[in-house]
Structures are given as structure tokens and as C-alpha cells.
Amino acid sequence: MEKLTPASKRRRKKKQNAVPQRQSQLNFMKRAPEVAILVVAAGRGTRAGGGVPKQYRSLAGRPLIAWTLGSLMRAAPGATVLPVIHRDDAGIYLASTGSLRASPCLSPPVHGGDSRQESAHLGLEALSAQKNVPEIVLIHDAARLFVSETLVERAITAAKTFGAAIPGVMLSDTVKEIDAEGRVVATLPRASLRAVQTPQAFRFDLILAAHRKAAAAAVLGLTDDSAVAEWAGHHVHVFAGEDSNMKVTTTEDLLHAEARLLGDLADFRTGQGYDVHAFGPGSHIWLGGVKIAHDHGLIGHSDADVLSHAITDALLGALADGDIGSHFPPSDPQWRGAASRIFLAAAAAKVRARGGFISHIDATVVCERPKLGPHRDAIRASIANIVEIPVDRVAVKATTSERLGFTGREEGIASLATATIRLPLCGKGS
Ligand code: MG
């Protein structure tokens, strides 16, 4: 056996520390294209209350399904992600997924059926009709938003090794079998029991054939895809699940998940932004993505949306990631006349790409005219829409400078903004 000196131990440790994160990402990039992830989101899930299915309920300002899809897309970059939604939910799905849909990896959703089994089957059929049929498919509940990169990695490896594999965790509670009167019939041996989670992982051809066989035999009501594989005669392997991979079902679960999400996002950042544009000839100005009639325009390389520019810089400042000029240089002709919502949306996407979210935006516009009061709510709604957060997290204020200085002389408009964001603590979620 090799003898390790303190120096060689240090070298070995350094090597071990330097490689894993990057290597694991590279491994994924290599194998992800053959992986598809079906996200089953067709349930009515009304036990969590709120009048909408639970997968569309807001958690820390973002719909549950958006958290789940974002986690999966970060965990398996390059994999095809296909949501299966209820036919009545097309509108709320679009509203809930925002810019996630800009990713080529997120396929347009397909409609599910009356049961979970039917929905999963329809999703698998949709994947089989695609040009690139996957080798491996993971089937995941939309309500499990805390799915981790390591769990996805284990699921893919297990599916490749065993053909059919599911994550399971040990039970901490003792489990009793009871009769109709509520009397205990038996105490089950806990050591051989597992609570099963998703993503359940399969060789694509295996699980598609199993679902087709069950549908043809009118065997319905199987509650998970493992049960379909078992029914079709396959051995299903159990790999280590994660206690943190909870499923949101009740209102209490929602509160718990939100508290945990906020607890994980404990790296609070604040950024500030400031911008000025001068008045010139024109008939309107843009503020926060809203066109406002005025007897002057604002001069700028883009659409001169002074408010959006200040907020963009505030977000980039919170990320410590340069400024609007470094990402969208005025020297680049492609930004001539550009709608500044592009810059603002890109800065917000950078926050999400880090696994974080925008907690609050507060902005002030300094000008004598136009009067902004009548436009304030439209501007707030527009900014909220562009950065994909609820409107009650966006404040827009207006002030004059009492006729003093360049804004007082109506030579231009100034804008200030502060953005508060929350990022995962180092090593979590990104
Ligand atoms: Mg500017």
C-alpha cells in the first residue's frame, strides 16, 4: 500500500478538492442529451388550498412548479424536460414558467389524463414521438422542488445499471397495519420498509412498454411508475433517496417548504443603481417598460429607459457582476434602440441562474414632468412582469428636485434603484 507523507496527503487533498464540482458538471454535459425528465404536474392538488392546484401556488414569490423545473434544469443541464399538465392549466402554466420557457431544454407541455398513471403514460408517448428518443427517463413529481443534483445523478446511474430504479428513504416512524375499525393488526418490520420518492428512473424503452402493456390490459390506478414496472414483471431497484426531497401536499407542507427555501437563501445582497438621461426631441419616454406620452423624448443609445437602467444596475450590483455598460456596451450596434426590458430581464435571469430570487426592488424617479402618479401602478406591474416577481415586491416612487439642478431645469430625468436579492449560501442550490 502507498505510504502517504504529510506533503503528499496535502497534494492529494488539494487535487480532490479542486476537481469534483467541475468534473461532475462535465460528466453531465456529456450524458445529459440522452436523458429526459418527465415532470408530472397534471394533478388538481387542492388539499394545499389557495384555489389553484398546489404546483402553481407561490413559494417565496415564485410558483412551486418554477422552483422544481429550475432545480431539474440546473441538476441535468442539456436533458429534455417535459412537463405534463392538466388541460385546464395551460394559461396558469404559461404565467408560472416565465423565462424558463426560453430554454431549449424545456419542451412545451403536454396534456395529462385523468390519473397519474395516464398522465405519465401520455408524457412517455410524447417523448417517444420526439426526434431524439431518450435512453433514460426520470419521472418526477412537480411538487418535489428540493430535488438535488446528487439525487438526479444517482437516479441516472441507477437507471443505467438496473433498468428500473427508485429513490427510497428509511422510515423514522413505526408503521402499523390497521383494520377498518382502526385496530392494529400488525406492526410492520421497519428495517425492510422504504418510503419512496421521485425522480423514479427507468430505461425509456422498458417503462414505455410497461405503461403500454398496463393500458392495453386496462390495469389502471397504479399510483407510481415503479408499480407499473413491477406489474409488468420488472425488478425495481431502490437507491438512496434524500430526506430533504419532500413532497408538498398540504398547506402545512407549503409553509414548511417556503420556510426552508428562505432558510437556504440566506445570502442577502443589496445593490444600488443610478442613471440619468437627457431630454431631446420626441413625443414619449419609456419608464420601467411603459411608454408615456410627453412633449420630449429621452436621448440614449437604447430606448433610454432611465428607470429600467437603474434597476438593472442595482441587480447587477447585488450580484457583484459588473454593470449595464459591461454587459450591453453602447459601442455594440445590436443594442441601438433596444428595448431596455431586455437588459432588465437578463439581470433578473442572472439572479435565478444563481438559484436565487429577487426579494424587493425600490426605485425613485426624479423629474419635474411628466407627472408619474397616474402611471405608477402600470410601471410597477411592468417591472414585476419583466423580472418575474409579484408586484407587491416592486416599489416605484417619484419626486421632483424642487426646480433645482438639471432635473429641476427639465434637462433630463434621473433614477435611483435599490435591489435586494437572496442567493443560496455557498454550496447550496447553485
Ligand atoms: Mg442609461
Side-chain angles (χ1 to χ4, degrees):
M1 203 173 139
E2 184 194 357
K3 274 227 174 80
L4 290 176
T5 64
S8 70
K9 272 185 189 164
R10 271 198 304 278
R11 272 199 305 277
R12 175 174 286 203
K13 188 142 194 256
K14 199 173 165 193
K15 201 170 159 194
Q16 281 167 347
N17 286 343
V19 178
Q21 182 74 27
R22 185 84 186 123
Q23 194 59 49
S24 109
Q25 285 290 333
L26 289 175
N27 289 343
F28 259 119
M29 304 287 272
K30 262 190 276 175
R31 70 186 180 211
E34 60 205 20
V35 175
I37 306 177
L38 212 56
V39 180
V40 186
R44 299 288 77 204
T46 47
R47 262 201 286 167
V52 294
K54 67 185 175 195
Q55 58 272 33
Y56 300 108
R57 290 285 301 275
S58 175
L59 284 180
R62 197 176 183 206
L64 200 174
I65 190 169
W67 286 110
T68 306
L69 292 172
S71 299
L72 290 169
M73 289 161 77
R74 276 200 309 281
T80 299
V81 176
L82 176 64
V84 184
I85 66 170
H86 193 277
R87 66 184 77 84
D88 295 343
D89 292 344
I92 196 170
Y93 173 84
L94 288 182
S96 300
T97 43
S99 58
L100 284 172
R101 285 181 281 112
S103 165
C105 294
L106 184 61
S107 297
V110 295
H111 291 164
D114 294 331
S115 66
R116 193 194 178 288
Q117 184 186 340
E118 198 183 346
S119 293
H121 183 195
L122 288 167
L124 292 167
E125 293 291 355
L127 286 173
S128 78
Q130 288 189 350
K131 201 167 70 187
N132 297 316
V133 175
E135 183 203 339
I136 299 294
V137 63
L138 309 189
I139 305 179
H140 188 64
D141 295 329
R144 291 188 195 268
L145 68 159
F146 294 110
V147 57
S148 72
E149 185 179 326
T150 48
L151 187 61
V152 166
E153 202 164 339
R154 276 206 297 280
I156 293 171
T157 304
K160 286 187 170 177
T161 310
F162 301 104
I166 56 178
V169 291
M170 306 275 286
L171 299 171
S172 51
D173 298 323
T174 296
V175 181
K176 306 277 185 184
E177 187 180 343
I178 58 170
D179 65 14
E181 277 75 49
R183 284 177 307 214
V184 172
V185 176
T187 299
L188 301 176
R190 199 166 58 179
S192 62
L193 294 172
R194 293 292 179 276
V196 163
Q197 309 177 327
T198 69
Q200 302 197 346
F202 306 93
R203 258 195 6 250
F204 182 74
D205 55 349
L206 179 156
I207 194 65
L208 176 64
H211 266 281
R212 283 178 174 169
K213 194 171 163 187
V219 173
L220 306 170
L222 298 172
T223 53
D224 70 351
D225 301 286
S226 165
V228 177
E230 292 160 44
W231 174 84
H234 297 288
H235 290 293
V236 178
H237 179 82
V238 174
F239 59 93
E242 291 178 353
D243 288 325
S244 57
N245 181 30
M246 69 174 286
K247 183 176 181 180
V248 172
T249 306
T250 62
T251 303
E252 199 181 9
D253 295 337
L254 269 171
L255 294 173
H256 178 64
E258 184 165 57
R260 198 172 127 203
L261 216 39
L262 294 176
D264 285 351
L265 298 175
D267 186 359
F268 288 74
R269 307 283 193 90
T270 304
Q272 55 137 323
Y274 174 72
D275 195 32
V276 172
H277 281 266
F279 280 126
S283 59
H284 64 270
I285 60 171
W286 288 94
L287 284 179
V290 176
K291 188 176 181 178
I292 296 170
H294 191 49
D295 52 18
H296 284 84
L298 288 173
I299 303 168
H301 188 73
S302 63
D303 64 3
D305 184 337
V306 64
L307 176 57
S308 292
H309 293 182
I311 298 171
T312 302
D313 260 354
L315 290 169
L316 293 172
L319 289 166
D321 186 2
D323 59 21
I324 191 168
S326 59
H327 290 282
F328 307 100
S331 55
D332 187 336
Q334 70 168 310
W335 307 123
R336 181 167 305 162
S340 297
R341 61 182 300 130
I342 297 171
F343 312 147
L344 186 50
K350 280 177 174 289
V351 178
R352 288 191 298 273
R354 296 267 292 268
F357 89 108
I358 300 165
S359 182
H360 191 69
I361 287 170
D362 183 22
T364 302
V365 179
V366 188
C367 63
E368 300 294 328
R369 290 187 314 127
K371 291 296 169 206
L372 294 186
H375 306 288
R376 183 203 306 267
D377 286 342
I379 294 171
R380 289 177 64 213
S382 168
I383 294 166
N385 177 258
I386 294 167
V387 302
E388 299 182 21
I389 64 175
V391 72
D392 64 1
R393 292 175 181 272
V394 178
V396 173
K397 311 187 301 300
T399 186
T400 70
S401 52
E402 299 290 338
R403 301 240 150 242
L404 299 171
F406 67 88
T407 52
R409 293 190 296 272
E410 296 195 43
E411 293 168 4
I413 297 183
S415 190
L416 304 97
T418 305
T420 308
I421 67 171
R422 297 175 69 152
L423 297 179
L425 280 175
C426 189
K428 280 191 160 184
S430 55

